[in-house]
Amino acid sequence: FATSFGLPLVCYLASFLCNDITGCPVPSTLHPSSLTIEKLKQETGWPGVVGLGSFKVTGYVLAYYFLSLVLQTVLPGVESEGLKLASGGRLKYKFNAFNSAISTVAVTLAGTVMQGPDFPLWTFIWDNYTQLITANLGIAFALATFVYVKSFSVTPGNSDQRELAAGGHSGNLIYDWFIGRELNPRVTLPLLGEIDIKVFCELRPGMLGWVLLDLAFMAHQYKVHGLVSDSMILITTFQSLYVFDALWMEPAMLTTMDITTDGFGFMLAFGDLAWLPFIYSLQARYLAVYPVHLGVYGILGILAVQGFGYYVFRSSNNEKNRFRTNPDDPMIAHLKYMETASGSKLLISGWWGTARHINYLGDWIMAWSYCLPTGIAGYLIQQSSPAPTSGQSPVDGSFVGGAPVGIEVVQGEARGWGMAITYFYVLYFAILLIHREMRDEEKCLRKYGTDWEAYRQKVPWRILPGVY
């Protein structure tokens, strides 16, 4: 319960406490003894509870989701079968998320060429950022509730190959709603056909939304500062590479725990649709207001971190996917493995002989390259007029009190304190990966029993060889 409502609150806190009105973090948080609710409201541009949402913005977000569904249906794609279900069958999937994303981004880039940073999509995202969070949160809550209720229609031996997730029907309403009761909930929509809700949410609206947010922040930086900083280029490039790599490798998703084991509930709906795009793009949002210039050596250092992390992440995942789908592939045929009583084979050499979840290490190393470009973060916005009311931003030169706002963005005493926001991703991601690894371990121990104990003796390290 706390997670279901606490994590959405974090999305809002990041939005308000790091802003283009007074600073990142807002000045009052640097002097807690003098902090008041009224002052905090003024510094954060608090719009009121009603102002957190907008029917207009929600309508546009729903249109974006509908466009994703249409592109999934009409564009050509790769047909694949999932892993064998507990019932013995296999579900069929159509994958074209990469083509869908390329089509969408191509349109936005064409619009940017014609209209520059004033392309309506970019200004809409910047001006309605908080309302976009609310809309996506609402969709996540609605989807989680819909699939939870729908899961009670699952019957044993049904012809649609519907199954309940092993850990999703505990009988505790809140827990089951959060973790997900049904393994692969699907719905049939007029003209669009059958949609796998979990697979659709996993890589489509949120992942592409992450890229679109980054591009909007880049456009805002150019509009306000007249340049795009090297740090912004690095972060946007790294994160876009990560997203489009995932989209290109979309069929590999079928072997992940999210698809094979986890039910679809609020945990995945919120993570895919709200947490991922809005928390993972915090660094680009920060740089939109306070550009950081890295220089040649800074760029090379961060490129090295990103390159190494990506190499570990992608090569280890490719090795696992090839071994699972075609163990005779010449690229992995030389690898050693142990066979379990259930007939499964566990790699004990190569990447997966180094650590049982070595891909998580590569993922975490890449996380550092998303945060390091923000440097020792934190800024204050110094202005010649009082803080603007909701809807006004000193950064864009709004008039307050009949006079133009004169502003200067400086680090001042906020230097270092902004890292709580721009480096939050690294800390959160480490916790997420360790938690996921622990869940992996529990699942494998249940599945393989004493064979897993023997496997742990052969591959003792979990994520980071020699440390953990």
Side-chain angles (χ1 to χ4, degrees):
F1 181 83
T3 303
S4 299
F5 293 93
L7 291 182
L9 181 62
V10 172
C11 294
Y12 285 119
L13 288 175
S15 169
F16 287 115
L17 296 181
C18 183
N19 61 52
D20 64 337
I21 299 173
T22 55
C24 180
V26 295
S28 290
T29 60
L30 302 176
H31 304 281
S33 60
S34 61
L35 188 150
T36 64
I37 296 298
E38 287 306 313
K39 193 173 183 180
L40 197 59
K41 285 182 177 180
Q42 184 185 40
E43 291 180 347
T44 58
W46 173 247
V49 175
V50 175
L52 292 175
S54 161
F55 287 114
K56 177 182 177 182
V57 172
T58 301
Y60 279 119
V61 172
L62 289 172
Y64 165 68
Y65 278 70
F66 180 71
L67 173 63
S68 297
L69 288 169
V70 170
L71 291 176
Q72 178 179 354
T73 302
V74 302
L75 292 179
V78 176
E79 302 285 343
S80 299
E81 285 190 341
L83 298 182
K84 185 177 291 186
L85 299 168
S87 61
R90 296 175 186 266
L91 293 173
K92 294 182 179 180
Y93 300 87
K94 177 184 176 182
F95 293 119
N96 62 7
F98 182 84
N99 294 336
S100 300
I102 290 293
S103 301
T104 305
V105 171
V107 172
T108 65
L109 293 181
T112 305
V113 169
M114 291 187 290
Q115 297 180 274
D118 290 318
F119 179 54
L121 177 61
W122 307 144
T123 56
F124 177 81
I125 288 174
W126 186 266
D127 295 339
N128 298 280
Y129 181 76
T130 302
Q131 291 74 27
L132 288 170
I133 292 175
T134 302
N136 283 279
L137 281 174
I139 292 171
F141 273 101
L143 277 177
T145 303
F146 170 75
V147 297
Y148 175 77
V149 173
K150 188 173 182 289
S151 70
F152 287 94
S153 64
V154 175
T155 56
N158 65 85
S159 60
D160 295 324
Q161 297 180 327
R162 296 176 64 193
E163 292 186 5
L164 297 181
H169 47 104
S170 67
N172 182 310
L173 187 152
I174 296 298
Y175 177 81
D176 292 345
W177 172 82
F178 174 80
I179 207 71
R181 287 190 88 244
E182 190 169 352
L183 184 61
N184 294 296
R186 294 188 168 200
V187 63
T188 300
L189 301 177
L191 302 179
L192 298 175
E194 188 176 58
I195 304 296
D196 188 297
I197 298 174
K198 181 164 69 171
V199 168
F200 173 78
C201 291
E202 188 82 3
L203 290 182
R204 287 178 182 269
M207 289 286 270
L208 179 57
W210 180 10
V211 174
L212 294 177
L213 286 170
D214 280 355
L215 294 176
F217 300 148
M218 177 184 284
H220 187 80
Q221 186 189 72
Y222 182 79
K223 180 178 180 179
V224 173
H225 299 282
L227 57 82
V228 177
S229 66
D230 50 12
S231 54
M232 177 68 86
I233 292 172
L234 279 185
I235 282 181
T236 305
T237 301
F238 290 162
Q239 295 184 348
S240 296
L241 171 66
Y242 182 91
V243 169
F244 281 99
D245 175 75
L247 299 180
W248 178 259
M249 300 296 296
E250 188 181 15
M253 168 176 50
L254 295 179
T255 63
T256 64
M257 187 172 69
D258 283 359
I259 304 301
T260 63
T261 306
D262 292 337
F264 184 78
F266 184 73
M267 179 180 73
L268 286 181
F270 166 71
D272 292 340
L273 306 179
W275 184 265
L276 183 147
F278 293 101
I279 294 299
Y280 288 22
S281 62
L282 285 176
Q283 297 83 12
R285 183 168 177 262
Y286 171 88
L287 293 173
V289 180
Y290 186 76
V292 173
H293 303 282
L294 300 170
V296 174
Y297 293 111
I299 292 173
L300 291 176
I302 293 171
L303 282 174
V305 173
Q306 167 69 11
F308 179 64
Y310 180 76
Y311 169 69
V312 174
F313 173 79
R314 178 46 58 205
S315 57
S316 60
N317 276 326
N318 282 345
E319 183 180 272
K320 177 185 69 173
N321 191 52
R322 288 192 182 100
F323 184 74
R324 286 183 173 180
T325 57
N326 182 18
D328 296 323
D329 188 318
M331 296 185 69
I332 51 89
H334 64 284
L335 296 177
K336 297 178 181 179
Y337 61 86
M338 61 172 282
E339 193 158 355
T340 67
S342 65
S344 299
K345 298 175 181 178
L346 302 176
L347 285 170
I348 56 173
S349 68
W351 282 112
W352 300 90
T354 306
R356 300 197 293 273
H357 306 278
I358 190 68
N359 56 330
Y360 292 172
L361 176 61
D363 222 352
W364 191 65
I365 292 172
M366 282 192 289
W368 279 96
S369 69
Y370 303 161
C371 303
L372 288 171
T374 64
I376 302 177
Y379 62 77
L380 296 173
I381 296 178
Q382 299 178 345
Q383 52 199 51
S384 59
S385 299
T389 58
S390 176
Q392 294 176 308
S393 169
V395 174
D396 63 20
S398 296
F399 280 68
V400 178
V405 177
I407 65 113
E408 183 181 9
V409 184
V410 300
Q411 288 207 286
E413 62 178 343
R415 177 179 166 85
W417 292 104
M419 295 174 72
I421 291 174
T422 63
Y423 286 78
F424 171 76
Y425 175 67
V426 168
L427 175 61
Y428 149 76
F429 205 47
I431 295 171
L432 172 73
L433 293 175
I434 291 173
H435 176 256
R436 175 168 287 193
E437 175 270 329
M438 293 171 67
R439 291 176 59 219
D440 281 345
E441 289 288 315
E442 291 177 2
K443 181 197 74 171
C444 292
L445 186 58
R446 288 196 304 269
K447 180 178 180 179
Y448 300 116
T450 56
D451 285 330
W452 189 253
E453 296 283 0
Y455 172 66
R456 290 197 295 197
Q457 293 295 319
K458 296 177 183 295
V459 186
W461 301 110
R462 294 170 177 251
I463 297 176
L464 182 58
V467 177
Y468 177 75

